Amino acid sequence: MRAIGGDQVEEAVAGCVAALRPAVERDWEGVKAAGLDWSCHQTAFHIAEDLVAYAANLAGRAQDDYVPFEITLDDGTDNAGLLHVVESTGALLAAAVRTAPREVRAFHPYPFRSADREGFAAMGIAEVLLHTHDIAQALGLPYEPSEELAESVLTWLFPHVQPGPAAWPTLLWATGRGELSGRAPVTEWRWRNNLVIPTERLTLVGVRPAAARDLRLGGDGGFEWVDGGPFQGTRDAAGMVVKAYEAGVHRPEFGLFALVRREDGRAVGGMGFHGAPDEEGRAEVGYDLVEAARGQGYATEALRALSEWALARDDVRLLMATVDQENLPSQAVVTRSGYDRATVEEERTAREQDDMDSVLQLYLRRD
């Protein structure tokens, strides 16, 4: 899996400074950054503000808002000094990312009010890459980050954006900064950190496309698994995420979740949806557990929480689960999670219209 962490934050910042340093003797206050109302000086300072804010929230474990402080420049700070501030705040974010435990999440407003260490790293990198582009364009300087950095930002923060032929032009297009052949211009955009759903003993952690690709290829997806994990069903579900992402139809909140045990941070299974709800508000759920974690109520706890989260939405009316008729433990899981066995007619319709296998039983939970 392509890494995203402190090293990548530092790489992005180093690229920013290298690109802008040739113009430190020029007037950054009097030139607007490309596509922005800010001057080049204000935009560079904004990069530093974001880097230190992300570092503070992650290091301080902020939960409800940004840590209440601001940075200022000393009077008379020149452009070279401003770049030094960018370097220093980038180093602070890199350190915060490196030292934060895997399970830590801290406040960020969009879209689910939190981000993990990789999310903060990706957001910091995105701010650096995009605003360096804005400044460089305005000053007539060449700038293009590595394809690896741009791809990391896309796969960690833009899971809803279909990959393009090259990552950097795709990221510029996705943020309203460029054109991409065959795609309409973007006028409004926001990135997406992954969704987490807490339960008493577990955290359901949304699996990003980068992690899903790694799982599909036999890796651990960035999770520490209990012995025997991940189960093949989780790898298959990860493949479905990758396929949807590459087709441009992935809706992250209706993808795959890793079931992470809160007591030790180890993943015990996977659970999620077979796709976004259809026009009638129907969505199918599926799950599996590593054998060592079975029989302890984890699947029931997770399925109940995921189902309640989904049915609280306006676009979900009916949840479906199919279970092998010989799999009595799984039948018990869905029943304890509020699902009812479908009627004979409902199962017949599912077999005829949805090609449900004859050895499966259909269970439903309604809003």
Side-chain angles (χ1 to χ4, degrees):
M1 182 173 63
R2 192 180 302 284
I4 190 161
D7 290 351
Q8 287 69 40
V9 171
E10 290 178 341
E11 178 187 347
V13 170
C16 164
V17 173
L20 301 183
R21 184 170 283 139
V24 293
E25 299 301 327
R26 295 171 58 182
D27 177 16
W28 290 13
E29 288 281 11
V31 180
K32 281 189 175 181
L36 303 178
D37 292 329
W38 297 329
S39 70
C40 290
H41 184 278
Q42 289 172 310
T43 304
F45 183 60
H46 173 75
I47 294 174
E49 287 182 307
D50 279 339
L51 291 172
V52 76
Y54 294 159
N57 268 29
L58 183 58
R61 313 296 193 256
Q63 295 300 305
D64 301 313
D65 205 342
Y66 285 103
V67 176
F69 77 101
E70 296 180 356
I71 62 170
T72 60
L73 296 177
D74 290 344
D75 291 342
T77 300
D78 60 12
N79 293 334
L82 177 53
L83 288 183
H84 192 191
V85 173
V86 171
E87 284 182 301
S88 300
T89 53
L92 290 174
L93 177 57
V97 169
R98 290 188 180 109
T99 56
R102 185 198 309 265
E103 68 276 8
V104 166
R105 295 187 74 88
F107 173 81
H108 186 273
Y110 186 81
F112 304 116
R113 297 187 64 79
S114 74
D116 57 13
R117 63 187 185 186
E118 289 85 4
F120 277 105
M123 290 188 294
I125 293 168
E127 295 284 357
V128 173
L129 269 53
L130 295 171
H131 288 314
T132 302
H133 163 82
D134 301 336
I135 299 169
Q137 271 215 319
L139 297 176
L141 299 171
Y143 174 70
E144 183 171 339
S146 71
E147 185 76 358
E148 289 77 12
L149 279 179
E151 183 182 355
S152 292
V153 171
L154 285 169
T155 56
W156 288 90
L157 291 182
F158 292 84
H160 53 294
V161 171
Q162 183 179 20
W168 179 233
T170 303
L171 181 59
L172 291 177
W173 168 81
T175 57
R177 289 172 165 83
E179 298 180 354
L180 206 59
S181 178
R183 302 194 193 184
V186 172
T187 56
E188 294 184 5
W189 63 273
R190 283 190 174 180
W191 58 49
R192 291 173 177 266
N193 280 293
N194 62 337
L195 173 65
V196 295
I197 301 174
T199 72
E200 181 180 355
R201 296 179 297 164
L202 302 169
T203 302
L204 281 64
V205 180
V207 176
R208 300 172 172 99
R213 184 179 294 132
D214 185 62
L215 282 168
R216 182 192 65 173
L217 295 175
D220 59 16
F223 298 95
E224 182 182 352
W225 293 83
V226 297
D227 292 343
F231 199 66
Q232 185 59 43
T234 296
R235 297 197 187 280
D236 293 342
M240 295 171 60
V241 169
V242 173
K243 183 178 180 179
Y245 171 64
E246 292 176 345
V249 297
H250 179 47
R251 287 180 59 184
E253 62 271 37
F254 287 102
L256 171 65
F257 295 81
L259 310 184
V260 179
R261 199 160 53 191
R262 300 177 74 171
E263 67 179 25
D264 59 5
R266 304 183 75 188
V268 299
M271 181 174 291
F273 301 91
H274 292 187
D278 62 19
E279 294 180 356
E280 298 178 14
R282 303 181 306 170
E284 184 175 355
V285 297
Y287 56 89
D288 65 22
L289 287 182
V290 178
E291 284 192 33
R294 295 175 187 173
Q296 301 174 56
Y298 291 135
T300 299
E301 185 176 325
L303 182 58
R304 186 179 294 126
L306 185 64
S307 301
E308 290 172 355
W309 172 85
L311 291 170
R313 298 173 57 94
D314 293 335
D315 54 353
V316 178
R317 295 284 180 269
L318 177 70
L319 294 176
M320 303 175 291
T322 57
V323 183
D324 191 291
Q325 59 190 9
E326 302 295 330
N327 192 342
L328 299 182
S330 191
Q331 293 172 28
V333 166
V334 294
T335 301
R336 289 195 299 265
S337 300
Y339 288 71
D340 297 315
R341 176 76 184 276
T343 65
V344 172
E345 182 60 30
E346 287 170 330
E347 284 196 341
R348 180 182 299 115
T349 299
R351 291 192 173 96
E352 293 175 354
Q353 297 183 3
D354 301 325
D355 199 29
M356 188 180 83
D357 196 294
S358 61
V359 302
L360 299 178
Q361 295 178 349
L362 179 63
Y363 290 80
L364 307 173
R365 180 168 171 175
R366 297 175 170 85
D367 60 0

